[in-house]
Amino acid sequence: MAVHPRFRPALVAVVLLAGPGLVDRLPAAVTLQKLSPGAVSPGRVTRLTCRGTELETARTLWTSFPAEVRKVSAKGDGAGQATFEVTLPAESIGRGAIRVVTDRGVSNVRLLLRESLTSHTDDRPADEKPLTLPLAIDGSVVAGEPDRCRIQLKAGERLTVDLWARRLGSSLDPVVRVIDPGGRTVIAEDDTPGLAGDVGFSVLAADEGVHTVSVTDVRRRGGDAYRYRLRLARYVPLTVAYPLFVRSGQPARLRLLGPGTTADRAVPGLPAGGTVWVGGPVGPGGGRALLSVQVDDRERGVESEPNDDGSKANPLAAGAGVSGLLDRPGDRDWFRITLKKGQRLQLVGRTASLGVAGRLYMRLCNAEGGTLVVAPQQAATRCVLDYTAAADAEVRLLVEDLQRRGGPGFAYHLDCRLRTADFDLGVAADRLQAVAGGSLSVKVTAARRDFQGAIRLSVEGLGKNVMLAGELIPAGKNETTLKITLPAGLEPGSLASLRIVGSGQLDTPPVGPTVKELSSIKYDRGDLGIFDDFISDKKGGLNFAEYDVELANAGEYLVLLRYAAAAQRVAVMKLDGRVVNSSIMSKTTGSWSTKTARWFNEGLVKFPKGKSVLRLEKVGVFSHLTAIRIALPAPRKKQPGRVIHARARVTVPLRKDLGGMPFVPRELDGTVLLSVGKK
Amino acid sequence: MFRILGNRRRLCDGLSRRDWLHVGGLGFLGVGLSDYLRLKAAQAAPAGGSSLDATFGRAKRCILLLPYGSPPQHETFDPKLEAPEEIQGELKAIPTSVPGYAIGEYLPKIARVADRLTVIRSMTHPFPVHCTAYVTSGIPTYSPALESRPRDPKLWPYIGSVVDYVQGRRESTIPLVPRNMALPWKMNSRGGPKAAAVQAGPYAAFLGPAYDPVLTEFEGEGNRKIYKISPGGTPTGGKRHDVFDPYAGIKPDGRFTLAGAQRRDSVTLERQNNRNGLLARFDRARRELDRNAETQSFDRYQQLALSLVSTTRVHAALDIHQESEKLRQDYGMNLFGQSCLAARRLVEAGSRFVTVFWDEYAYLNTDWDTHWNHFYRLKDRLLPGFDLGFSALISDLEDRGMLEDTLVVWMSEHGRTPRFNKNVGRDHWSRVYSIAMAGAGVGGGNIIGESDRLGGDVRSQPVSPKDILATILHLLGIDAHTTIPDRQDRPVPVAGTGVVRPEIFRGA
Amino acid sequence: MQRHVRTLTTSLLLTMPLCAAEPVVSRLTVEPAAVELSGRRQRVQLVVSGHRSDGSVIDLTHQARVTVEHRGTVGVQRGRVLPLANGTTRLTISASGQVLQLPVRVQRLEQTPPVSFRNGLLASLSKQGCNSGGCHGSPSGKGGFRLSLRAFDPTLDAQTLIREQFARRVNVFDPDKSLLLRKPTLQVAHGGGQQLRRHDPAYELIRDWIADGCPRDAEDSPRCVRTEVFPRDRFLKSPAVSQQLKVVAHFSDGSSRDVTHLAVYSSSNETLAEVDVAGWVTGTAVGQVGILVRFLDQMQATRLTFLKDRPGFVWNEPPVINEVDRHTFARLKEMQIVPSPLLTDGQFLRRVTLDVTGLLPTVKETRAFLADRRPDRRARLIAGLLAGEDHARFWAGRWADLFRMTRKQLGSTGVDKFHRWLVAAVRDNMPYDRFVRSLLTAQGDTFANPAANYYRAATDVEDATETTARHFLGIRIQCAKCHNHPYERWTQENYYGIAAFFNRVRRGKPDSAGNLVVWVARSGEISRPRGGNAVPWLPLTGNAKLPDPESDRRLALADWLVRKDNPLFARVEVNRLWSMLCGRGIIEPIDDFRASNPPANPPLLDWLAGEFQRSDFDRRHILSLILNSRTYQLDSLATDQNRHDQQLFSHAVAHRLSAEQVLDAICQVSQVPEQFGKLPAGTRATQLATPEDAPAFLRIFGKPSRETSCDCERQTGSTLSQHLTLVNGSLVSGKITHGKNRFRRLISAGRGDREILEDLYLAAFCRLPNSEELRVGLEYVGGAGNREKAHEDIQWAVINSREFLFRN
């Protein structure tokens, strides 16, 4: 059973505040709208101008990558602009995220690149001298009118175009066109497979002269939200850093693949849970391919050819992940998985969400090759196959490209795990503000997959004495408003990052000694005579039974109900008017006669010290309830109940701010940034 | 087998061979006696054999009255006095000029002219869904999904378009008064924001838009305030609205114009004639263009457009102010009555098939579709308007000696339920309902078919709406078996599975 | 049975009587060489051909006198030999002074085999038309009696004829009393009238079948596998005005029999020639006609060309620019039709610019071209227009009509991406085989691979089958979905054979951004309505060979399409290109390629198709070949010599501009652009991506709303509402009264009326006004009180004139 060990994220990320009214409202949102230039250069100091709102009290930048930031004053600084000097270590490349930190709070996130190409803006004079490679252009498209840039190329010179828009959170759906000196279109490229809607290609200039590179939106839209960074260089393009996942803490050798070229890159041991960027070989004059690899703490393998037919399938263990390559058209990869009866297998294949081309077709067969199940095709980018083993058996999985394509760009990553009842958590805000010792509340929602039990939330990253309220998502419910009271010791003006983790009890803990036993109420139903097992007090309508409970000391107790039921009559349990379990008495005993009644453990309920009122409530008739018992849970030490954990993700607020980006960068997801205000 | 001769048309799958017309019946192509006898034998009708040949081609023109929403048969032509109160409701019946036949008590004038009517009380078909397209074209199968798509390739041509197409084949000239017209406006175009989705019906389908009915426009206002309750389930559900519904009464200065042909104010008649002259001299000064089928049809329609804009013939026909005040009052000073009057003037001026819609106005389902507010609508404006308009049209045609070669038909999509619903309204019902016909070749005082005691099912002589189409075409001199090529050039019978019903001619 | 009424046709009548100077018949031949008759129901049709000294052939079957040596053995009526008694004899045939002997043998009259259900009875019912579409063959039958359309389902018919309604239709004990005979002969009332007479061959066959106890065919009974028509293709020079056909059926057991009296004949062009029930074809006008001969499910077509020496015909040897002209003029010379003269430069400029880019040339371009004196100016103009962006956008719109490109169908981003892909395909002149292959075998995201939108528009198997067959094979396969094709040999099985290529295509649901996945399942078969699974089948070749059962079958279809020996693919596309430029296809309609609808000029079509394949499917090469040819540049003004020709391109076909061209032309002539919703200013109507952006004006003029994938949805005929819109509509009046329209700009620039008129004529007609037009115009402006209003009226008259609204 997969348990997420405690981990410490290397990267902290935060996104625009969302969900008005959920958090005590900030006076006016601190926003970051435009960055220029669109990239910071490694190994040098870059003067970065940030435009947005409420920036007059800007102090520094939060960055998702190690960097030194110094606030400087420049012409035009004020509420709408702040300028910083950012110094990066020499080897820092790839994509990164930044926010402006002000006394009034933290801005929304903006993505930018870390690379050495010299940046130009797109509003250059039209008659200006043609530029020479390599270079980069930061700009935003005007509605219906292409952005043009004139470059000087020699005959046979390589022009590599790499346009970042969707991958930086822009709403632009780019079309890039290269026009030769004679006015003919050399190439016009729309969605390059694997770049999430962006464009990347490499051509050799046929003849000497001034070429024009034009960028437009496919639907002729325009405006600030349609920004892009157009990288033009001479390096040989690469498409995949393989394998796609490496295990944290261990050095790994990566193969960088591209059309007609490969390179090797060694990677030191890395902390888990993020994305690491590797650069391809530097092209003449500078500029290199930027590729990413995911890092996490799980068992990561690589497929080994030949596995082109069922008999040569690679073994695949539950809980493991494997990267694969479809290196030639029609390439098929087979895997073997041994399952026990009743185990629920889930195979998740990823391509586009990891920035590689291709779409997977997955088919699970039995040993003889007969099809068991084919993964459904949806427009979503992950290919998910679910199968419940009918008997102990070895099954075979076929993985191939939906259109049987293959080549250097076609890699994939396959996760194999046994599905148990579990859940995901989502938090509604990516950045919060509060005063030391003050309190704030944020909405947390749960997406349940077969797990109906209660979920207990806890907060990591703020130290010990944090007071929480509303931290229990009751069984059957899917959301709560978590109220966090900050420890007094937080230093005002500081920035803290917190993570919300939820844990759920898979099976209720074993029953310990009984503390209290209550018998059912005797009552006269009138038409059906006197009952000693309570089923209902009126014809139809709301039925309920209330019991006075007095306990010596507060704490979590198990509530057990003894009842007989031929059919499922689910009821609700309340304590002092508050729902503590919304699906009780859901079991059956085969008949209504109280002779078949049995004890059923309805799970933990937190009782206060002294008197309280326990109420069972249901619309319509109850099952035949004969007795109620309140008991202490058996001490955990002997055999701890299976507990599942999940880290709250911040996908929804992140996606709202990152424009057309189909999948949120893994390194940004999961952490909420808290800025501690002055008193 | 009967087919229609056509010239080389670029129908979707028009075969390069010509499709051709072979029409049984007198006049055209001088077809011999044998076909004539064959037709008689084919009908093998029980009633008087001679009625078929005597009535073929009797009608020179037809006025089709289409009340959208399906009038209730119990309160009009098929009252059920012996049925209990919750079936017949509060309106009783009155005797008519036809001994032994009683009619709804709110139709006194129609009761007097009943001896000129053929009433069919045993209409039936299986689609209780406002299927205007089903009852006015030969389409054999039907689905409500077609209702909201007037240009759906599966639809068949409107009966008025068939008449226009056949007549167009006979005489190659285009008449100065369009043959196939419709009043007072485009069906369901003034039904308010939530207008009924029903649009399909009066369109020429695969015959092409050239044969759609030529529409008029009504410029005028209602002068009587009535109230309408908008349908439940809509944002204004159940709310009461005061509406000046032109069907409840109009100011006398209201007038009909030909959609699109009303000259712009900046262009006087004199300037329009100058323009026409200029265009003619330009064309003459220019060298002769290739005279193929397309250029000829271009010229014909251009001449018709120019004449509609410059001459007054059609505008005069539409000008009801030329009629006496008394006659206008006889027709009823409301949109339905004045439309009937304008229709009579149009057929008199030469149009061949004129349709009058009694359309929904301002709010969905607030006119003949009486699911709720049933008796108020019927008593306040629907029955009185129908009574005045329909009886005045018949008497007016008779006074002018036009009745014996003009066919008048009052029919709708279907009838309404015998039992009242919870809002004391009647819902849709197509198992049995009634229609009325008068004029050319149609029997007087001729009551056909019966419904059962409750007016819920047909007791005798069931008649399908397709039979009515076949009979109308027969009276207009078009054999019901005539076929026209559809989009895939399959021979398609104009009246679908309809058969001419000679009982309608009894007593003509 | 189709009844023919001799109709008066306005075209030239072939005069029947012989002319004076007449070449003499030197030799007689007869088909067949010998007559074999066994069984009393057999017939043999003789076809007597007279060969004349000038090499031409004349049919003398109905003029020949035939005498039988031993009377009583056989009888001969209008060339048809009937057996009377066993024995051998000889026929003596004399015509036009020549004599011919023919051996005859009649045997086994008494052992006449029982009538076969399919080859005898069903053939008779088809001959008499009982099972035709308008009668008992219609889906709901007639009068409660339903037969399968043209006997395509013998088992159903057997059930109906023999078993249904307690076998009341057949009376085995007294066959003549069977309803099956008494109804069509009108002894009993019959809705369809008299369709059978006692002396018809079919009567005897039906009667004998009933008398033989209504036998069904044994499983292995011989089936007709092929029919042969004599003469195959023949030129008939006046005074030869008729031709008797002979049809021989070949059966699966190797036997063959004359079925001329049982075959069903129909002419592909009734105005040129008609055929009677006995297979006798009479020509009524000069031209070529295809006679379709149908016997059960076998179909053959024969091409007869009727020629007549036109008095005073002199071939004017028009200069030949390229092969297109050579083939066209050869055909015209043969049919003795003189082509019209060449277009003037102005007319040519207007026509070619409208055809290639959809737009009118600007005044500047017109003045430049009229001033250009270079001999190759027309070729340069054509090359320039073909390489332009306007051409790419206009012709992409025509593909978009066929692929049902609407926002409703493909989503707004999908439309823009697919439109961009189509425009790029035309601009970069993507080879046509690659264009069709990338559409047919498209897979994946409709955003990443816009060609996959082909399967988003064709929403299911039937749609994909019919769209592909109609546009890339030119066959109307949808007619064969419920029964056999009425005029071609496509059977219902063939329909499902082609559908078997597409039944594995799957479509996902569109995601929030409107993207949709098209992919191919690895398994799944399509079942035929009459049982069993359909096997992928290729027209004219048979079942397709599939590499492996899980492969994408569409690849096999795409590979077959582009093979050089595929007779359909190249022809359909060159015919479409020809139709788009010349207003009418060499085969018309352009999606109805079948034997019984022959091309007007077969050598021309074959050469164009060959050239298309030799140039590796280069569409621009074919376009420039046609545009540069003299045939394309002929005037549309017909002369007395060629007025009657509608098929052989002796003169251009004038047709009204398309809806989009009309609107763009009005905007250009009035210099007042139209704004389409939120689209950038200056967008042209001819370049709109989807009808949803189109104003009501375009719908009135017939712009299709792309509900079906058929180009017939574009209404090209004139209607009253179109002319009311032009004469009195707000759009036209808005343009001519606009403050900054063409003539008002010239007036404010101080130009004279003459200059304004000339500028208007150059803009509208690409020529200067002639003296008469100038006089009428100046006179009108002079006479009118208000100068601006006069010019408004002139602009109105030009916009409503036929020369402006037509592509001449």
Side-chain angles (χ1 to χ4, degrees), chain B residues 13 15 76 82 115-116 119 130 142 168 188 233 237 252 260 288 350 355 361 368 395 428 452 463 500:
Chain B
D13 297 66
L15 276 176
T76 52
E82 67 281 9
D115 53 1
R116 294 169 184 74
V119 174
H130 288 315
Y142 198 73
N188 260 326
E288 184 49 52
T355 307
Y361 186 76
W368 281 102
S395 318
H428 299 176
D452 62 13
V463 176
V500 180

Side-chain angles (χ1 to χ4, degrees), chain C residues 313-523:
Chain C
F313 162 72
V314 173
W315 178 249
N316 61 358
E317 291 299 343
V320 169
I321 297 176
N322 56 27
E323 282 295 301
V324 171
D325 296 334
R326 205 165 55 71
H327 287 291
T328 312
F329 295 152
R331 185 80 178 138
L332 287 176
K333 182 174 182 183
E334 188 181 62
M335 302 298 279
Q336 300 187 349
I337 300 172
V338 176
S340 295
L342 205 59
L343 279 178
T344 64
D345 271 354
Q347 290 165 336
F348 166 74
L349 170 68
R350 185 170 196 272
R351 172 190 293 179
V352 76
T353 312
L354 277 172
D355 283 349
V356 175
T357 68
L359 306 169
L360 278 177
T362 62
V363 172
K364 200 155 66 64
E365 287 162 354
T366 308
R367 286 189 197 280
F369 188 75
L370 292 181
D372 187 343
R373 282 294 126 241
R374 285 171 299 183
D376 61 352
R377 56 187 177 281
R378 294 196 176 189
R380 285 170 182 274
L381 174 68
I382 291 170
L385 290 175
L386 283 176
E389 183 70 8
D390 289 334
H391 168 62
R393 289 186 172 277
F394 180 48
W395 281 60
R398 292 171 149 181
W399 281 119
D401 279 349
L402 303 186
F403 295 149
R404 287 217 297 261
M405 196 159 78
T406 60
R407 258 193 280 281
K408 182 158 72 82
Q409 196 81 18
L410 309 180
S412 36
T413 310
V415 161
D416 289 315
K417 284 189 184 286
F418 195 21
H419 186 239
R420 215 185 59 71
W421 186 82
L422 284 174
V423 170
V426 178
R427 177 199 310 124
D428 311 340
N429 192 21
M430 179 193 283
Y432 183 63
D433 56 344
R434 222 177 87 222
F435 177 74
V436 172
R437 173 187 289 278
S438 50
L439 284 171
L440 282 194
T441 59
Q443 280 199 61
D445 286 321
T446 50
F447 282 6
N449 174 12
N453 280 298
Y454 181 77
Y455 287 101
R456 186 167 185 177
T459 48
D460 55 26
V461 180
E462 279 89 8
D463 236 339
T465 307
E466 288 159 23
T467 308
T468 306
R470 171 190 291 276
H471 297 318
F472 303 126
L473 299 174
I475 51 180
R476 291 182 179 161
I477 201 71
Q478 71 268 23
C479 301
K481 190 159 88 170
C482 315
H483 46 70
N484 292 350
H485 192 286
Y487 306 109
E488 190 42 297
R489 56 186 175 286
W490 312 127
T491 64
Q492 192 181 41
E493 249 151 69
N494 303 148
Y495 177 90
Y496 287 92
I498 297 178
F501 287 109
F502 299 104
N503 67 317
R504 292 184 172 181
V505 176
R506 297 287 180 276
R507 299 159 186 83
K509 281 199 205 50
D511 65 11
S512 52
N515 192 0
L516 178 136
V517 187
V518 173
W519 57 290
V520 180
R522 271 48 174 176
S523 65

Side-chain angles (χ1 to χ4, degrees), chain B residues 13 15 275 286-287 302, chain C residues 347 476 594 793 800 803:
Chain B
D13 297 66
L15 276 176
R275 282 186 170 185
R286 193 162 301 111
R287 57 177 185 70
Q302 185 171 59
Chain C
Q347 290 165 336
R476 291 182 179 161
R594 51 185 163 77
D793 294 347
N800 276 281
E803 186 179 0

Side-chain angles (χ1 to χ4, degrees), chain A residues 425-436:
Chain A
L425 289 180
V427 65
D430 62 320
R431 50 190 181 152
L432 307 170
Q433 159 137 359
V435 184

Side-chain angles (χ1 to χ4, degrees), chain C residues 71-308:
Chain C
R71 303 184 63 74
T73 327
V74 287
V76 177
Q77 288 165 349
R78 292 169 57 142
R80 181 180 294 175
V81 185
L82 314 98
L84 299 177
N86 289 337
T88 58
T89 177
R90 262 212 315 271
L91 296 180
T92 321
I93 302 166
S94 59
S96 300
Q98 303 295 330
V99 177
L100 193 62
Q101 301 286 337
L102 189 62
V104 174
R105 189 149 60 93
V106 181
Q107 49 185 351
R108 295 198 304 278
L109 275 196
E110 62 298 344
Q111 305 148 8
T112 307
V115 174
S116 141
F117 174 72
R118 172 199 294 274
N119 305 334
L121 178 77
L122 288 187
S124 307
L125 294 183
S126 299
K127 174 69 177 177
Q128 301 307 119
C130 307
N131 52 18
S132 65
C135 299
H136 299 289
S138 82
S140 50
K142 272 282 195 294
F145 176 33
R146 176 177 184 281
L147 291 169
S148 67
L149 185 68
R150 295 191 183 80
F152 85 93
D153 187 352
T155 37
L156 169 73
D157 292 343
Q159 185 64 26
T160 316
L161 285 166
I162 300 167
R163 288 288 166 271
E164 201 173 49
Q165 300 199 346
F166 314 107
R168 63 183 262 286
R169 293 194 175 92
V170 287
N171 179 339
V172 180
F173 307 105
D174 187 348
D176 285 305
K177 290 278 184 308
S178 306
L179 262 184
L180 199 56
L181 287 172
R182 297 181 66 228
K183 273 235 172 202
T185 50
L186 270 192
Q187 297 162 35
V188 160
H190 178 228
Q194 172 145 32
Q195 300 297 349
L196 187 65
R197 288 160 186 77
R198 291 189 85 76
H199 61 270
D200 287 344
Y203 188 90
E204 183 191 14
L205 270 168
I206 299 173
R207 192 202 162 287
D208 288 358
W209 176 70
I210 298 174
D212 294 345
C214 309
R216 286 178 185 248
D217 286 347
E219 269 312 305
D220 56 0
S221 64
R223 283 175 50 112
C224 173
V225 290
R226 188 168 56 81
T227 53
E228 219 184 312
V229 181
F230 174 82
R232 192 91 185 93
D233 297 339
R234 180 170 277 188
F235 279 82
L236 297 165
K237 203 149 186 303
S238 170
V241 289
S242 70
Q243 174 62 54
Q244 174 62 48
L245 299 181
K246 172 183 175 58
V247 187
V248 173
H250 299 271
F251 295 88
S252 48
D253 62 357
S255 66
S256 63
R257 200 155 39 94
D258 183 308
V259 290
T260 310
H261 57 295
L262 286 178
V264 182
Y265 305 94
S266 64
S267 157
S268 72
N269 190 337
E270 298 267 327
T271 57
L272 294 182
E274 291 181 346
V275 56
D276 71 5
V277 288
W280 190 38
V281 183
T282 44
T284 52
V286 171
Q288 184 184 61
V289 74
I291 303 297
L292 176 68
V293 178
R294 199 170 347 105
F295 178 70
L296 290 175
D297 58 355
Q298 294 301 324
M299 289 193 200
Q300 287 293 342
T302 174
R303 274 202 294 262
L304 299 177
T305 310
F306 293 91
L307 298 170
K308 178 169 180 343

Side-chain angles (χ1 to χ4, degrees), chain A residues 40-43 89-95 113-118 133-136 158 160-164 167 229-239 256 263-266 277-292:
Chain A
V40 283
S41 316
E91 263 315 303
S92 166
I93 64 163
R95 181 175 55 194
L113 289 185
R114 293 171 281 151
E115 59 157 350
S116 55
L117 287 179
T118 50
L133 299 185
L135 62 107
R158 171 178 291 278
T160 300
V161 172
D162 182 11
L163 186 134
W164 289 66
R167 292 174 288 172
R229 177 171 176 88
L230 175 64
R231 302 178 65 234
L232 304 173
R234 301 197 190 85
Y235 60 86
V236 176
L238 292 170
T239 48
L256 310 184
D264 285 327
R265 186 68 77 241
W277 291 84
V278 277
V282 179
R288 58 201 307 190
L290 304 175
L291 301 170
S292 65

